[in-house]
Amino acid sequence: MKLFEDKFELFFNDLVLQKFKEECRSKSLMALQIKNGNIPKWNDAIDELNNYAKGELGLNEPYVSIKNIGASIENIELNLRKLLPWRKGPFIFNDLILDSEWLGDLKWQRLINKIKPLKNKRVLDVGAGNGYFTLRMALEGAKKVIGIEPFLLFNFQFMAIETLSNQNLNSILLPLRLEELPSMPIFDSVFSMGVLYHQRNHMGHLNMLKEMMADDSELILETLIVDGPKNFTIVPKGRYANMRNVFCLPSIETLKSWLLDAGFKNINLINLSQTTSQEQRKTQWIGDKPASLEDFLDPNDPNLTVEGYPAPKRAIIICTN
């Protein structure tokens, strides 16, 4: 907790962020104090990692890397495994490859040359997971990057990464939902990747994203879509590709109409790709009983999920406010 508070004070030492500081701080600390039986184990991992000499945070594509950590690979791995499962990544710590379920670099390469440069910009990463993309944004030279992620395990994974690093790249992860943030129309780039389909109220989510955007800013939206005409959607009954809480899958034209209704402009589809087991797959870093995309597709037809819906296909759209 103290590590988070110390980082928070440093990060929010900014004239623009100061007026949002106390609300973000109090809500974050409240979220971190929730009862969860895993927290002692997670805290133990952070405390152990904090004993090691810090390393240098950087990029060794596809990995976010930390090199020259003053610890053995065995000790680093022992403590990082207390934080299973690792969904987003990959990372490399000294020579230890943390091979996450998702190869995030593939998604990053689809968008990085299409978006406005992040250098010296304020960036918001909504649904940031363990901060792999948050760190990629910081490594692009962003002035400030705020990631938000309500799932506590992912926050502890981000703390572990930061604990091993001796550099402050002006990035932070807050254990909050978008609706818990104060209205902060200060961000030059807002990312919402893999979040929209988990929202009961998709228009509410888009409107809240817009409220966070400064003048002349850019939204980068990545989400599941389905083939079909305008106004076509699929509302899964039960699970979708074994995922809970998938509420609505729109066609591309439906998604564009939602963005127009929310007041976005210059809507541009920059990528459309079906998710494959090259990008999302089982690894030793997702637990003792690993399951991933290959288990969630129809064994007789990879274009269908096990529930009979179209297999996951993702679109990346850039638009302005």
Side-chain angles (χ1 to χ4, degrees):
M1 194 76 70
K2 186 178 185 303
L3 290 170
F4 173 81
E5 291 194 67
D6 290 347
K7 174 61 185 294
F8 188 95
E9 291 297 325
L10 287 171
F11 183 89
F12 275 81
N13 186 21
D14 174 298
L15 288 176
V16 173
L17 292 173
Q18 276 289 325
K19 61 182 177 179
F20 309 111
K21 175 180 174 180
E22 283 310 313
E23 185 173 352
C24 289
R25 180 180 178 277
S26 62
K27 288 181 176 179
S28 295
L29 291 177
M30 188 178 301
L32 288 170
Q33 290 167 353
I34 195 170
K35 290 184 179 180
N36 183 314
N38 289 306
I39 286 179
K41 175 178 68 174
W42 299 340
N43 273 325
D44 179 63
I46 301 301
D47 290 343
E48 286 294 320
L49 294 171
N50 194 43
N51 290 326
Y52 306 149
K54 313 305 180 192
E56 302 161 20
L57 182 65
L59 184 62
N60 181 9
E61 290 184 299
Y63 308 106
V64 169
S65 70
I66 305 180
K67 59 184 180 180
N68 300 323
I69 303 167
S72 68
I73 286 179
E74 292 77 16
N75 284 340
I76 297 170
E77 181 171 1
L78 175 67
N79 287 290
L80 293 178
R81 284 192 172 277
K82 295 175 184 176
L83 302 171
L84 292 174
W86 288 79
R87 300 295 183 189
K88 288 188 179 180
F91 300 91
I92 185 167
F93 302 91
N94 287 348
D95 293 323
L96 173 68
I97 292 175
L98 194 161
D99 193 18
S100 54
E101 178 183 9
W102 283 85
L103 281 177
D105 184 67
L106 295 178
K107 183 182 295 186
W108 191 248
Q109 296 306 327
R110 294 180 193 126
L111 63 85
I112 188 56
N113 295 319
K114 306 288 182 62
I115 65 175
K116 292 180 181 179
L118 300 180
K119 189 173 179 62
N120 296 323
K121 301 296 178 61
R122 288 188 175 87
V123 183
L124 178 64
D125 183 13
V126 178
N130 63 19
Y132 173 82
F133 292 115
T134 307
L135 291 169
R136 294 294 302 247
M137 295 164 197
L139 287 163
E140 288 291 321
K143 183 175 183 178
K144 295 280 185 179
V145 187
I146 295 180
I148 56 173
E149 172 56 59
F151 190 50
L152 279 188
L153 171 62
F154 296 156
N155 283 266
F156 277 88
Q157 290 177 353
F158 186 80
M159 287 183 212
I161 295 161
E162 289 227 304
T163 298
L164 289 170
S165 168
N166 62 7
Q167 290 173 269
N168 185 329
L169 280 174
N170 290 330
S171 61
I172 196 168
L173 189 65
L174 305 181
L176 302 177
R177 302 179 187 277
L178 180 59
E179 54 266 32
E180 294 173 315
L181 283 183
S183 180
M184 301 166 66
I186 63 171
F187 295 101
D188 304 295
S189 297
V190 173
F191 289 78
S192 172
M193 300 195 294
V195 179
L196 184 63
Y197 49 87
H198 288 309
Q199 306 304 305
R200 290 183 185 274
N201 182 352
H202 55 269
M203 291 306 300
H205 181 72
L206 295 176
N207 289 330
M208 283 187 285
L209 293 172
K210 200 168 191 298
E211 288 178 5
M212 298 295 172
M213 299 173 70
D215 294 339
D216 301 318
S217 58
E218 186 172 69
L219 172 67
I220 300 93
L221 178 72
E222 189 261 12
T223 191
L224 289 169
I225 59 91
V226 290
D227 294 331
K230 184 178 179 181
N231 298 323
F232 180 77
T233 61
I234 290 178
V235 179
K237 296 179 180 178
R239 297 191 180 204
Y240 169 79
N242 203 44
M243 285 187 287
R244 300 183 182 90
N245 303 325
V246 175
F247 293 107
C248 190
L249 305 174
S251 68
I252 290 289
E253 293 306 314
T254 301
L255 179 57
K256 288 180 177 179
S257 73
W258 292 352
L259 289 163
L260 285 171
D261 289 345
F264 289 99
K265 299 174 290 190
N266 304 314
I267 299 166
N268 182 22
L269 174 68
I270 64 163
N271 185 267
L272 182 63
S273 57
Q274 187 158 325
T275 306
T276 71
S277 54
Q278 177 189 3
E279 184 172 3
Q280 182 190 9
R281 69 275 190 275
K282 299 176 187 178
T283 79
Q284 62 169 321
W285 286 93
I286 60 174
D288 295 332
K289 297 179 180 179
S292 191
L293 180 66
E294 65 186 87
D295 303 292
F296 310 149
L297 299 179
D298 185 326
N300 299 313
D301 186 350
N303 292 309
L304 296 175
T305 70
V306 290
E307 301 89 359
Y309 297 115
K313 185 181 291 185
R314 293 175 179 266
I316 303 176
I317 285 181
I318 297 176
C319 52
T320 61
N321 66 340

